[in-house]
């Protein structure tokens, strides 16, 4: 066998691929599914936190800021481990899927809150004053004037965060979540051949390239009309 | 002046922390009047205006808008604000909405009008400020003068009893100041009641029914423009006007 053959036999082994592709597909489903769940939960929670913080009540803002700072400081892996291994000790057991979903959602919520809050803060006070002076309530001003503008500002950093956190679904392997990388890793050990890892890489491209393209379109569509 | 005042301030006191910026303001604005407020920077002109629709809170005194006492805690301030328009120095248009969207937002959200009805009223308001053809433009596509005229349309579309103007032309290029002042003159001719903080002395002198000179949180002098500009009674007024007019008055 020459070098190229050996390379192909190692990383693109058709026999191994044929044997393990169902595992990879199943893992893809888990990765994509958890990724979507985490994105939706994290964004909704982050938005809610940003709105609560905008009420400017210290008893709300202080815990929110503390939560956000802690979640941004901790590596997501540690958060997953705490949820899965530590919470059962206080009587809160959860599945690998729940632990991964909750942990990553909270981490994303923290970043989303910062992005959206930053967007709100960057708007001039005059936006609030103009809306309130025409009789809009606080909530109407928030939903019709502040959030549409804050969202536009927050979209580019948010799309990056969503992509990053979705890739972190792979961290679920530490609690034996059957996501694509975990499955590929087991398959690689069983087969004694890394082809499943190549398949996992392909799976990631299949999942994330469309997401990245969609994010790019979203960003350009949400640019200011000038 | 006839009738009851549309806006009445009685003994208005306001402080930011320990800084007293309004120290007993008494002022009445009557229907159809245009009252111009002049005075040095920091004299409390904006603060007074912003108390009138409670964008700022105040410590003591009373403000009546029509028969609504807005100093009362139980007043429905959002309802009262429908009757007091405000036009800002920085325009404060909503950049994500078109000119028409800016003008119709409160009609739809607060007054619950349908989009069709709001658009009809909004177009009429834009017409009055001469910008019907810019209805679909976003603020970033408009000149400063046009933006401020949209700001005025946003105020008049609610058919307020009075409009407060806080230095409406101070952020404008000199060449677009005129178009905004012209719209304000037209409003006055149509009977709109206006309280206008301005540094445009020529405008105040020519167009105001009454001029208020504020300094140090009090009204120092008030009267018809010919008197306040032509024969000011107080030294402080004279000194202020001398700075603005190069001492010719
Ligand atoms: N939000 C605030 N917090 C603290 N101090 C304030 C605030 N707003 C205004 N001030 C102070 O109150 C005083 C009066 O301000 P105000 O804006 O009412 O003056 P003005 O007459 O409108 O001045 P200008 O002509 O510069 O607009 C100033 O000393 C100002 O620094
Ligand atoms: Mg001012």
């Amino acid at each position: 066998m020459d070098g190229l053959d050996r390379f192909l036999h190692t990383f693109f082994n058709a026999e191994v691929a044929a044997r393990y592709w169902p595992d990879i597909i199943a893992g893809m489903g888990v990765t994509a599914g958890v990724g979507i769940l985490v994105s939706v939960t994290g964004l909704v929670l982050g938005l809610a936190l940003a709105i609560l913080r905008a009420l400017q009540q210290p008893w709300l803002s202080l815990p929110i800021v503390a939560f956000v700072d802690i979640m941004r400081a901790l590596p997501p892996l540690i958060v997953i481990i705490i949820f899965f291994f530590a919470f059962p000790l206080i009587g809160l057991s959860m599945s690998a899927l729940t632990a991964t979903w909750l942990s990553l959602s909270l981490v994303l919520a923290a970043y989303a809150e910062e992005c959206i809050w930053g967007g709100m803060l960057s708007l001039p006070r005059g936006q609030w004053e103009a809306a309130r002076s025409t009789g809009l309530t606080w909530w109407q001003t928030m939903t019709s004037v502040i959030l549409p503008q804050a969202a536009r500002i927050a979209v580019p950093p948010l799309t990056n965060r969503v992509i990053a956190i979705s890739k972190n679904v792979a961290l679920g392997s530490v609690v034996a979540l059957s996501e694509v990388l975990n499955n590929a890793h087991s398959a690689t050990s069983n087969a004694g051949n890394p082809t499943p890892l190549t398949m996992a890489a392909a799976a990631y491209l299949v999942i994330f390239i469309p997401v990245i393209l969609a994010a790019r379109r979203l960003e350009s569509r949400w640019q200011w009309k000038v | 002046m006839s009738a009851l005042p549309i806006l009445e301030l009685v003994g208005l006191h306001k402080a930011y922390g320990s800084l007293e910026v309004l120290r007993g303001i008494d002022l009445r604005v009557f229907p159809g009047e245009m009252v111009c407020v002049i005075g040095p920077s920091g004299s409390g002109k904006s603060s007074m205006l912003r108390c009138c629709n409670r964008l700022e809170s105040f410590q003591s005194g009373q403000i009546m808008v029509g028969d609504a006492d807005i100093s009362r805690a139980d007043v429905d301030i959002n309802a009262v604000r429908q009757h007091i328009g405000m036009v800002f120095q920085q325009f404060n248009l909503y950049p994500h909405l078109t000119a028409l969207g800016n003008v119709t937002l409160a009609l739809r959200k607060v007054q619950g009008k349908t989009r069709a009805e709001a658009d009809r009223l909004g177009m009429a308001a834009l017409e009055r400020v001469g910008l019907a053809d810019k209805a679909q433009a976003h603020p970033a596509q408009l000149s400063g003068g046009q933006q401020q005229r949209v700001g005025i349309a946003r105020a008049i579309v609610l058919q307020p009893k009075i409009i407060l103007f806080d230095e409406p032309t101070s952020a404008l290029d000199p060449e677009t100041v005129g178009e905004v002042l012209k719209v304000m003159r037209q409003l006055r001719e149509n009977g709109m009641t206006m309280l206008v903080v301005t540094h445009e002395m020529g405008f105040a002198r020519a167009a105001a029914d009454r001029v208020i000179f504020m300094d140090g949180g009090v009204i120092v002098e008030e009267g018809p423009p010919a008197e306040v500009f032509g024969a000011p009674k107080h030294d402080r007024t004279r000194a202020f006007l001398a700075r603005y007019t190069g001492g010719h008055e």
Side-chain angles (χ1 to χ4, degrees):
Chain A
M1 271 204 278
D2 65 12
L4 180 64
D5 270 351
R6 211 161 42 229
F7 175 79
L8 289 178
H9 181 82
T10 308
F11 288 98
F12 295 90
N13 190 313
E15 205 183 306
V16 175
R19 201 165 358 124
Y20 289 104
W21 70 262
D23 286 356
I24 301 296
I25 297 290
M28 267 176 86
V30 171
T31 296
V34 175
I36 291 169
L37 266 178
V38 164
S39 302
V40 171
T41 317
L43 290 177
V44 169
L45 190 58
L47 176 64
L49 290 176
I51 292 173
L52 287 177
R53 192 165 167 192
L55 286 167
Q56 299 191 306
Q57 303 292 325
W59 58 274
L60 278 171
S61 302
L62 288 180
I64 291 172
V65 172
F67 166 80
V68 165
D69 287 353
I70 290 169
M71 280 301 163
R72 293 195 304 167
L74 288 175
L77 183 62
I78 292 184
V79 183
I80 295 176
I81 289 172
I82 291 172
F83 269 84
F84 191 74
F85 293 109
F87 275 30
L89 302 181
I90 56 166
L92 273 174
S93 300
M94 56 187 85
S95 67
L97 194 145
T98 308
T100 309
W101 167 58
L102 271 183
S103 313
L104 297 183
S105 295
L106 293 179
V107 172
L108 177 59
Y111 282 106
E113 191 279 337
E114 276 306 276
C115 293
I116 298 167
W117 172 248
M120 289 181 184
L121 269 194
S122 71
L123 302 177
R125 269 210 67 72
Q127 291 293 307
W128 278 99
E129 294 178 348
R132 297 307 306 272
S133 79
T134 56
L136 269 71
T137 61
W138 188 93
W139 179 249
Q140 288 169 331
T141 304
M142 177 55 83
T143 54
S144 301
V145 175
I146 303 302
L147 278 181
Q149 297 183 62
R152 273 173 170 79
I153 296 166
V155 156
L158 276 181
T159 52
N160 285 334
R161 283 296 159 196
V162 164
I163 291 166
I165 205 78
S166 302
K167 283 195 289 191
N168 273 340
V169 171
L171 296 176
S173 60
V174 71
V175 292
L177 180 71
S178 310
E179 47 73 43
V180 67
L181 193 59
N182 194 16
N183 286 7
H185 206 254
S186 320
T188 297
S189 313
N190 292 340
N193 177 291
T195 298
L197 284 177
T198 311
M199 296 163 77
Y204 272 101
L205 292 181
V206 168
I207 296 173
F208 282 102
I209 291 287
V211 174
I212 288 167
L213 290 180
R216 189 163 286 164
R217 276 199 51 188
L218 186 69
E219 281 169 30
S220 59
R221 212 163 51 114
W222 275 44
Q223 294 289 329
W224 292 117
K225 275 204 193 104
V226 186
Chain B
M1 275 289 163
S2 62
L4 294 168
I6 279 182
L7 177 69
E8 182 169 18
L9 282 57
V10 184
L12 182 66
H13 283 260
K14 160 142 196 81
Y16 295 105
S18 63
L19 178 69
E20 265 198 278
V21 295
L22 297 177
R23 300 185 291 130
I25 300 277
D26 297 291
L27 174 66
R28 295 163 142 207
V29 183
F30 291 92
E33 254 195 319
M34 175 148 105
V35 177
C36 283
V37 182
I38 61 172
S41 182
S43 55
K45 307 181 297 293
S46 297
S47 303
M48 179 182 78
L49 223 56
R50 295 157 58 82
C51 286
C52 294
N53 62 357
R54 249 179 51 188
L55 281 185
E56 296 285 356
S57 58
F58 45 92
Q59 277 69 32
S60 69
Q62 198 183 28
I63 298 181
M64 300 289 296
V65 178
D67 46 19
D69 180 352
I70 69 163
S71 16
R72 292 171 61 110
D74 63 353
V75 71
D76 180 354
I77 192 65
N78 293 320
V80 176
R81 282 174 177 160
Q82 299 282 291
H83 305 303
I84 322 176
M86 189 165 218
V87 174
F88 301 86
Q89 181 175 352
Q90 301 298 337
F91 327 136
N92 297 346
L93 296 187
Y94 316 127
H96 61 301
L97 299 178
T98 61
L100 186 60
N102 270 270
V103 174
T104 54
L105 184 66
L107 288 176
R108 298 203 289 122
K109 297 291 168 188
V110 186
Q111 301 191 350
K113 296 227 178 349
T114 63
R115 183 179 281 275
E117 174 69 353
D119 283 356
R120 194 181 60 74
L121 295 168
M123 285 308 297
L126 286 172
E127 197 99 43
R128 283 179 73 184
V129 299
L131 285 174
D133 57 325
K134 297 289 184 191
Q136 298 307 324
H138 280 77
Q141 297 166 300
L142 300 174
S143 74
Q146 291 171 331
Q147 290 189 53
Q148 191 59 296
R149 281 147 69 198
V150 173
I152 293 173
R154 179 171 66 184
I156 62 177
V157 80
L158 298 171
Q159 298 191 296
K161 296 181 184 145
I162 181 169
I163 303 181
L164 313 169
F165 292 81
D166 193 357
E167 301 197 34
T169 59
S170 293
L172 296 177
D173 294 332
E175 58 267 31
T176 62
V177 169
E179 65 190 62
V180 171
L181 295 180
K182 186 172 145 223
V183 167
M184 291 169 66
R185 278 204 190 86
Q186 283 166 358
L187 286 179
R188 177 179 179 250
E189 280 157 23
N190 291 322
M192 179 57 77
T193 310
M194 298 189 271
L195 181 58
V196 183
V197 173
T198 185
H199 288 298
E200 291 287 330
M201 297 302 155
F203 174 76
R205 184 165 196 169
D209 295 291
R210 203 146 45 96
V211 174
I212 309 275
F213 173 66
M214 277 181 73
D215 195 10
V218 295
I219 292 178
V220 175
E221 179 159 358
E222 71 170 287
E227 271 177 33
V228 175
F229 287 105
K233 294 190 200 69
H234 290 262
D235 289 343
R236 279 197 279 176
T237 320
R238 267 194 292 276
F240 172 76
L241 289 174
R243 256 185 294 135
Y244 260 92
T245 53
H248 296 306
E249 297 291 334

